[in-house]
Amino acid sequence: TLGLWNYAKYHNPQTIVANANRELVWLNYVPGGRESRRLLGLSIMTQADFDEPAIHPDAVAFTDWGIDVHHPQGFWVRGNDCIHVYHGRRVTIPLGALVSRTITNLMMAGRNISATHIALGATRVMRPCMGMGQAAGIAAAIAAAGDLTPATVARERVAEVQQELLKQGCYVPGVRNAD
C-alpha cells in the first residue's frame, strides 16, 4: 500500500499533479483479504437470493447493502470501477451459510461465509458481518451448552438462535419475538 501511494504521489507522471495536495491520513494495519478461501456451508448464498429475495427459514442476519462488485483492475480501470445493484433490497442471511458442511466444529462469519463471489459483494460489509458474528456466537454457545455440533444447531435449534438474537436487540427479518 505504501509503495503504491509513493508511486502515485511522487513518481507517476500521470498522477503527480492530481496528488500534490493529498496526504495519507490513515492506513489499515491488517488488510481485509477477500475470497482468499472458499468455504462451503450447509447453504450457499448466491445472486438468486438477491434476484428474488425470500426470507430464509434459518435467517439470522440481513443485508440491504446491495451487491457491490469492484472491477478486477481496481483503481487502474478507466471509468466506473464499481457496480452497485440491488441497493436497499433487504436480503436475509441463513444460519446454514455460517456452518461448514465438511468440518464438524467450524462456523464462519463475516467475509468467509458460504457465498458466491457475487453474493459476497453484499454480505462483506460491516453491519451484516456484525450480525453474522453475533449469530455465530449465539449458535456456538448453544452448541457448547448442549454438546451439539454447529450443524445440529443449524438444523434443529435455529428458532432458539433466532429468539436469542431478538432478545439481544437484533432485527431478524420475518422472525417474531416469542418472548
Side-chain angles (χ1 to χ4, degrees):
T1 301
L2 293 174
L4 288 172
W5 170 255
N6 185 354
Y7 178 69
K9 174 105 173 143
Y10 301 110
H11 303 285
N12 183 349
Q14 297 175 335
T15 60
I16 290 174
V17 173
N19 292 325
N21 295 319
R22 292 187 177 153
E23 63 179 302
L24 183 62
V25 295
W26 184 82
L27 182 63
N28 186 4
Y29 62 95
V30 178
R34 293 183 217 155
E35 300 184 74
S36 59
R37 302 287 185 273
R38 180 72 64 206
L39 300 174
L40 295 176
L42 299 177
S43 60
I44 302 170
M45 289 196 69
T46 70
Q47 182 176 346
D49 291 306
F50 296 84
D51 290 338
E52 298 292 330
I55 294 175
H56 293 94
D58 62 339
V60 291
F62 74 94
T63 183
D64 57 4
W65 180 253
I67 295 172
D68 173 5
V69 180
H70 295 267
H71 195 283
Q73 291 180 338
F75 63 82
W76 300 113
V77 71
R78 293 182 186 270
N80 187 6
D81 70 337
C82 181
I83 302 165
H84 259 293
V85 292
Y86 307 106
H87 189 71
R89 187 176 293 181
R90 188 162 291 151
V91 176
T92 61
I93 300 170
L95 183 57
L98 310 183
V99 176
S100 173
R101 76 168 61 166
T102 57
I103 302 172
T104 306
N105 64 346
L106 179 66
M107 295 187 72
M108 303 87 74
R111 291 181 165 186
N112 65 354
I113 68 164
S114 178
T116 63
H117 169 71
I118 299 297
L120 188 68
T123 60
R124 65 173 170 71
V125 295
M126 204 58 93
R127 184 171 55 192
C129 285
M130 180 260 333
M132 289 183 278
Q134 189 167 357
I138 290 169
I142 292 169
D147 197 25
L148 305 169
T149 66
T152 300
V153 174
R155 290 185 180 113
E156 300 173 12
R157 309 271 295 270
V158 68
E160 192 176 336
V161 175
Q162 292 169 328
Q163 289 303 307
E164 185 59 33
L165 285 163
L166 295 175
K167 285 178 188 175
Q168 292 184 15
C170 296
Y171 171 62
V172 182
V175 180
R176 295 188 62 144
N177 190 336
D179 186 5

